[in-house]
Amino acid sequence: MIHFLFGELGYNALPFYSAIATVAASVVVLGAVVVVGSITWLRGWRALWSEWLTSVDHKRIGIMYVVVSFVMLARAVIEACVMRSQQAVAYDSPGFIPPEHFAQLFTTHGTIMIFFMAMPFLIGIYNFAMPLQLGARDVSFPVMNSISLGLTSAGAVLMMISLCLGKFSTGGWTGYPPYTELSFSPGVGVDYWIWALTLSSLGNTMTGINFAVTIYKKRAPGMTLFRMPLFCWTALCISILMIFAMPPLTVATLMLAMDRYLDMHFFTNALGGNMMNYVNMFWLFGHPEVYILILPAFGVYSETIATFSNKRLYGYTSLVWATVSIAVLSFTVWLHHFFTMGQDGSVNAVFGIATMLIAIPTGVKVYDWLLTMFRGRIRLSVPMLYASAFMILFVVGGATGVMLANPGFDYQVHNTLFLVAHFHNMLIPGLLFGMLSAYHYWFPKAFGFRLNEVWGRIIFACWTGGFLLAFMPLYIVGALGMPRRSQEFFEAVYQPYMYVALAGAALVFCALASMAIQLWTSIRNRDSLRVFAGDPWNGRTLEWSIAAPPPEYNFARIPKVDSVDAFYQAKQQRTAWRAPDEYFDIPLPANSPVGFLCCVSGGAFGFALTWHIWWAVVVSALVFFGSIVLRSFNRDTMRIVPSGEVQETEENWLLALSETPPVANEAMFTTANRGLVREPV
Amino acid sequence: MSADPRRERRQELHGYIAGLCLALILSAIPFAAVMTGALPRAGIVWTIAIAALCQVMVHFRLFLHIDLSRSHRDDLQLILFSLLIVVLMVGGTLWVLGNQRAMMG
């Protein structure tokens, strides 16, 4: 009976096997208790439910995505610091973390950073900014958007639960079989990994469909594809990548699940299994995924560099074609992740050359950005600092990438810290810096007040310094031959570099802490940072033409577009911020609890499968599909914002706008900036 | 209801019925080829492949209403792109795994 009720779940699942695990689990439980407690104390449950959890507004969904990603970022950065500390003391000594626990750490760190930090961060930013840039009122499928968020969050929750109940996978973020098969990894860890990934990859596939349809169908009149802001172009490319690249991952993890649950033999050693096909399928997803992660940052930099150089983006068309060709080429290079798996030299050569080709469109982009800055009126805002650091560091990372694209070189350094240094060098400047600059850039639009500038610069310094200290030494020890994922090492020569890397990790931790402080002080001083007028950076694209924070309907009147940088042109011609002649009722999608139900039932489904609680599997699956089927019978899915309310909101804002003194370009970062900037002459 | 939408509806219905019949015929041919064994093995494989391709065309044309007209150009481009990606993924997988198999043999 107990087995029926709880499956494999028992007392021994509790994290009392090591002190570190106990502390980590307590932090998670304590964090959850504090969050629940403070929501109750602030009497926020009703507002949370009606304004956030059931909301299908793309702006709110975007913000929730970013919140998920920040929580997961905190966990994964702390894990990175723990791993760096272990390696700093691991010369000829077992250190303080046993090998199995160390393996869990690098597995969760990688899984979280890719699937639960990077993906939610970029999807959140797109969700918020892309419809505004397109001049749309929402994405094409708002409820599906909330279901995607639900599935991603369910995966993230599963990751957090794995810290408290049972042990996570030790198979690395890629989870290669046969090690992750039942015979070598009999515990629940791999199952946690499979279901967390499956849930999030389903959510991401749906997001891809949603974004692509939005871009094809919901652009403002006059906005042809070649008049879209470059950020939207990258959105289009990554949504198409997501549509085609996520299914191989879902299929590969589900096949692995079938091996483990149904005794099949897709990837086993015996009975005709072929584990190389798993690696092949994983990277059929994995390489396009790299560009899903990096193209958004390219999009953000294209926006921020143009805005803060006060110049039109140089070479718009070439940037578009570079983006598109990177997207297509990303499907032709997946084999470079397993050069050493045993195919012959000519296969490796083809994929090596294809890999090197990607450096060409990327180089085009870097030159375009440099030429955008050339003779521009550059303002060194926080996003601009990130963009400049990115251009230098990304070129270094790209150069090591071209080195690794040579199969001969790759044979030497594969599975060493050189590779670890390389991909962190791509992903930190090429994803995280981009997303952080997007966070600083669009935060005032989302919440109506700017983030604290000084702390923004401190965060930037900590991230860049921390990144350099943490990863440049890894290039050296990697070239010297230190294997990645080592819990202990025996070469004295690696040791000093490990100390430097630890110092870098400490700085990165400071960056994380500074982000919390920045958010705190900015919220406390929000009145002096307000930018209600809505255009604090002298923006160029449509999202800056409305109030900050934007009204729920975004645009009282859908704008007409006849060039790139439509809003900037309107400001030049003094046609911006015109009150509409007439106000109309605006239909908006009504709130729906389906996304939240899918989150809870999807999470329960994954958890029940992990622990073999079969009755809960059936119940949660029924709730999941039932809520979607029931939703389809609901015909009352729209809500009308009456024209009177629209008029009142807009007139209030236009009045405030007319009373806002425009600030000089140089004073943009002072409290004088109330959301309107004078055009420099 | 005026005459025009009714005629349009009838045309649409005709299209769907034609599609259904063609789909059934194109499914019946490979089944027949396998079950009767009237063709040599290579012939059967080619019959199935060609019938499958025609089946895809029928679905696109009659059910998804994709044609070469200007208004459907976006859809057509997406389909061609999908085709490219599928060819890359399936072809690449066959090439890579086949090569590894040969190296192990």
Side-chain angles (χ1 to χ4, degrees), chain A residues 144-161:
Chain A
M144 189 164 95
N145 202 11
S146 126
I147 295 176
S148 303
L149 169 69
L151 290 176
T152 303
S153 325
V157 168
L158 218 52
M159 293 298 295
M160 291 316 247
I161 292 177

PDB file of all heavy atoms in Angstrom, chain A residues 144-161:
ATOM      1  N   MET A 144      -1.334  29.872 -25.157  1.00  0.00           N
ATOM      2  CA  MET A 144      -0.235  28.921 -25.366  1.00  0.00           C
ATOM      3  C   MET A 144       1.053  29.476 -24.763  1.00  0.00           C
ATOM      4  O   MET A 144       1.871  28.733 -24.219  1.00  0.00           O
ATOM      5  CB  MET A 144      -0.057  28.649 -26.857  1.00  0.00           C
ATOM      6  CG  MET A 144       0.902  27.525 -27.143  1.00  0.00           C
ATOM      7  SD  MET A 144       0.750  26.927 -28.810  1.00  0.00           S
ATOM      8  CE  MET A 144       2.030  27.854 -29.616  1.00  0.00           C
ATOM      9  N   ASN A 145       1.199  30.793 -24.839  1.00  0.00           N
ATOM     10  CA  ASN A 145       2.362  31.435 -24.249  1.00  0.00           C
ATOM     11  C   ASN A 145       2.414  31.149 -22.754  1.00  0.00           C
ATOM     12  O   ASN A 145       3.464  30.808 -22.207  1.00  0.00           O
ATOM     13  CB  ASN A 145       2.243  32.948 -24.497  1.00  0.00           C
ATOM     14  CG  ASN A 145       3.557  33.668 -24.416  1.00  0.00           C
ATOM     15  OD1 ASN A 145       4.595  33.043 -24.374  1.00  0.00           O
ATOM     16  ND2 ASN A 145       3.492  34.982 -24.377  1.00  0.00           N
ATOM     17  N   SER A 146       1.243  31.241 -22.107  1.00  0.00           N
ATOM     18  CA  SER A 146       1.234  31.006 -20.669  1.00  0.00           C
ATOM     19  C   SER A 146       1.449  29.524 -20.366  1.00  0.00           C
ATOM     20  O   SER A 146       2.055  29.175 -19.350  1.00  0.00           O
ATOM     21  CB  SER A 146      -0.052  31.593 -20.091  1.00  0.00           C
ATOM     22  OG  SER A 146      -0.763  30.694 -19.363  1.00  0.00           O
ATOM     23  N   ILE A 147       1.000  28.635 -21.276  1.00  0.00           N
ATOM     24  CA  ILE A 147       1.283  27.203 -21.082  1.00  0.00           C
ATOM     25  C   ILE A 147       2.781  26.940 -21.226  1.00  0.00           C
ATOM     26  O   ILE A 147       3.365  26.172 -20.453  1.00  0.00           O
ATOM     27  CB  ILE A 147       0.475  26.348 -22.079  1.00  0.00           C
ATOM     28  CG1 ILE A 147      -1.018  26.494 -21.803  1.00  0.00           C
ATOM     29  CG2 ILE A 147       0.868  24.879 -21.972  1.00  0.00           C
ATOM     30  CD1 ILE A 147      -1.905  25.779 -22.786  1.00  0.00           C
ATOM     31  N   SER A 148       3.428  27.595 -22.203  1.00  0.00           N
ATOM     32  CA  SER A 148       4.883  27.430 -22.353  1.00  0.00           C
ATOM     33  C   SER A 148       5.597  27.829 -21.075  1.00  0.00           C
ATOM     34  O   SER A 148       6.485  27.123 -20.595  1.00  0.00           O
ATOM     35  CB  SER A 148       5.417  28.313 -23.480  1.00  0.00           C
ATOM     36  OG  SER A 148       4.780  28.032 -24.679  1.00  0.00           O
ATOM     37  N   LEU A 149       5.207  28.983 -20.530  1.00  0.00           N
ATOM     38  CA  LEU A 149       5.813  29.430 -19.274  1.00  0.00           C
ATOM     39  C   LEU A 149       5.580  28.383 -18.192  1.00  0.00           C
ATOM     40  O   LEU A 149       6.489  28.044 -17.430  1.00  0.00           O
ATOM     41  CB  LEU A 149       5.215  30.777 -18.849  1.00  0.00           C
ATOM     42  CG  LEU A 149       5.561  31.228 -17.432  1.00  0.00           C
ATOM     43  CD1 LEU A 149       7.027  31.583 -17.331  1.00  0.00           C
ATOM     44  CD2 LEU A 149       4.720  32.407 -16.999  1.00  0.00           C
ATOM     45  N   GLY A 150       4.345  27.841 -18.158  1.00  0.00           N
ATOM     46  CA  GLY A 150       4.020  26.835 -17.149  1.00  0.00           C
ATOM     47  C   GLY A 150       4.924  25.622 -17.263  1.00  0.00           C
ATOM     48  O   GLY A 150       5.444  25.129 -16.257  1.00  0.00           O
ATOM     49  N   LEU A 151       5.145  25.148 -18.491  1.00  0.00           N
ATOM     50  CA  LEU A 151       5.961  23.943 -18.661  1.00  0.00           C
ATOM     51  C   LEU A 151       7.420  24.214 -18.278  1.00  0.00           C
ATOM     52  O   LEU A 151       8.049  23.405 -17.600  1.00  0.00           O
ATOM     53  CB  LEU A 151       5.870  23.446 -20.103  1.00  0.00           C
ATOM     54  CG  LEU A 151       4.502  22.865 -20.469  1.00  0.00           C
ATOM     55  CD1 LEU A 151       4.459  22.488 -21.942  1.00  0.00           C
ATOM     56  CD2 LEU A 151       4.190  21.653 -19.625  1.00  0.00           C
ATOM     57  N   THR A 152       7.955  25.371 -18.709  1.00  0.00           N
ATOM     58  CA  THR A 152       9.331  25.694 -18.342  1.00  0.00           C
ATOM     59  C   THR A 152       9.472  25.797 -16.825  1.00  0.00           C
ATOM     60  O   THR A 152      10.416  25.266 -16.238  1.00  0.00           O
ATOM     61  CB  THR A 152       9.759  27.012 -19.001  1.00  0.00           C
ATOM     62  OG1 THR A 152       9.578  26.869 -20.412  1.00  0.00           O
ATOM     63  CG2 THR A 152      11.197  27.333 -18.735  1.00  0.00           C
ATOM     64  N   SER A 153       8.497  26.469 -16.177  1.00  0.00           N
ATOM     65  CA  SER A 153       8.594  26.611 -14.726  1.00  0.00           C
ATOM     66  C   SER A 153       8.466  25.251 -14.059  1.00  0.00           C
ATOM     67  O   SER A 153       9.134  24.996 -13.050  1.00  0.00           O
ATOM     68  CB  SER A 153       7.507  27.531 -14.179  1.00  0.00           C
ATOM     69  OG  SER A 153       7.237  28.545 -15.069  1.00  0.00           O
ATOM     70  N   ALA A 154       7.618  24.371 -14.599  1.00  0.00           N
ATOM     71  CA  ALA A 154       7.478  23.038 -14.009  1.00  0.00           C
ATOM     72  C   ALA A 154       8.824  22.327 -14.045  1.00  0.00           C
ATOM     73  O   ALA A 154       9.228  21.696 -13.054  1.00  0.00           O
ATOM     74  CB  ALA A 154       6.428  22.237 -14.766  1.00  0.00           C
ATOM     75  N   GLY A 155       9.553  22.447 -15.160  1.00  0.00           N
ATOM     76  CA  GLY A 155      10.885  21.842 -15.239  1.00  0.00           C
ATOM     77  C   GLY A 155      11.812  22.442 -14.189  1.00  0.00           C
ATOM     78  O   GLY A 155      12.543  21.716 -13.505  1.00  0.00           O
ATOM     79  N   ALA A 156      11.744  23.779 -14.030  1.00  0.00           N
ATOM     80  CA  ALA A 156      12.614  24.443 -13.055  1.00  0.00           C
ATOM     81  C   ALA A 156      12.273  23.976 -11.641  1.00  0.00           C
ATOM     82  O   ALA A 156      13.172  23.722 -10.823  1.00  0.00           O
ATOM     83  CB  ALA A 156      12.451  25.954 -13.164  1.00  0.00           C
ATOM     84  N   VAL A 157      10.972  23.836 -11.355  1.00  0.00           N
ATOM     85  CA  VAL A 157      10.563  23.376 -10.028  1.00  0.00           C
ATOM     86  C   VAL A 157      11.080  21.969  -9.788  1.00  0.00           C
ATOM     87  O   VAL A 157      11.581  21.644  -8.705  1.00  0.00           O
ATOM     88  CB  VAL A 157       9.022  23.434  -9.899  1.00  0.00           C
ATOM     89  CG1 VAL A 157       8.556  22.690  -8.666  1.00  0.00           C
ATOM     90  CG2 VAL A 157       8.560  24.872  -9.858  1.00  0.00           C
ATOM     91  N   LEU A 158      11.016  21.130 -10.805  1.00  0.00           N
ATOM     92  CA  LEU A 158      11.527  19.761 -10.686  1.00  0.00           C
ATOM     93  C   LEU A 158      13.017  19.785 -10.339  1.00  0.00           C
ATOM     94  O   LEU A 158      13.498  18.994  -9.524  1.00  0.00           O
ATOM     95  CB  LEU A 158      11.300  19.040 -12.015  1.00  0.00           C
ATOM     96  CG  LEU A 158      10.885  17.574 -11.973  1.00  0.00           C
ATOM     97  CD1 LEU A 158       9.696  17.365 -11.077  1.00  0.00           C
ATOM     98  CD2 LEU A 158      10.560  17.101 -13.380  1.00  0.00           C
ATOM     99  N   MET A 159      13.757  20.714 -10.969  1.00  0.00           N
ATOM    100  CA  MET A 159      15.186  20.833 -10.652  1.00  0.00           C
ATOM    101  C   MET A 159      15.371  21.197  -9.181  1.00  0.00           C
ATOM    102  O   MET A 159      16.277  20.703  -8.513  1.00  0.00           O
ATOM    103  CB  MET A 159      15.845  21.921 -11.501  1.00  0.00           C
ATOM    104  CG  MET A 159      15.941  21.649 -12.973  1.00  0.00           C
ATOM    105  SD  MET A 159      16.919  20.230 -13.396  1.00  0.00           S
ATOM    106  CE  MET A 159      18.548  20.706 -12.860  1.00  0.00           C
ATOM    107  N   MET A 160      14.526  22.091  -8.678  1.00  0.00           N
ATOM    108  CA  MET A 160      14.667  22.522  -7.289  1.00  0.00           C
ATOM    109  C   MET A 160      14.275  21.377  -6.347  1.00  0.00           C
ATOM    110  O   MET A 160      14.924  21.158  -5.319  1.00  0.00           O
ATOM    111  CB  MET A 160      13.792  23.752  -7.008  1.00  0.00           C
ATOM    112  CG  MET A 160      14.263  25.004  -7.701  1.00  0.00           C
ATOM    113  SD  MET A 160      16.031  25.251  -7.602  1.00  0.00           S
ATOM    114  CE  MET A 160      16.163  26.681  -6.596  1.00  0.00           C
ATOM    115  N   ILE A 161      13.220  20.631  -6.703  1.00  0.00           N
ATOM    116  CA  ILE A 161      12.808  19.522  -5.843  1.00  0.00           C
ATOM    117  C   ILE A 161      13.924  18.485  -5.763  1.00  0.00           C
ATOM    118  O   ILE A 161      14.161  17.887  -4.715  1.00  0.00           O
ATOM    119  CB  ILE A 161      11.506  18.886  -6.379  1.00  0.00           C
ATOM    120  CG1 ILE A 161      10.344  19.858  -6.225  1.00  0.00           C
ATOM    121  CG2 ILE A 161      11.183  17.600  -5.635  1.00  0.00           C
ATOM    122  CD1 ILE A 161       9.053  19.347  -6.785  1.00  0.00           C
TER     123      ILE A 161
END
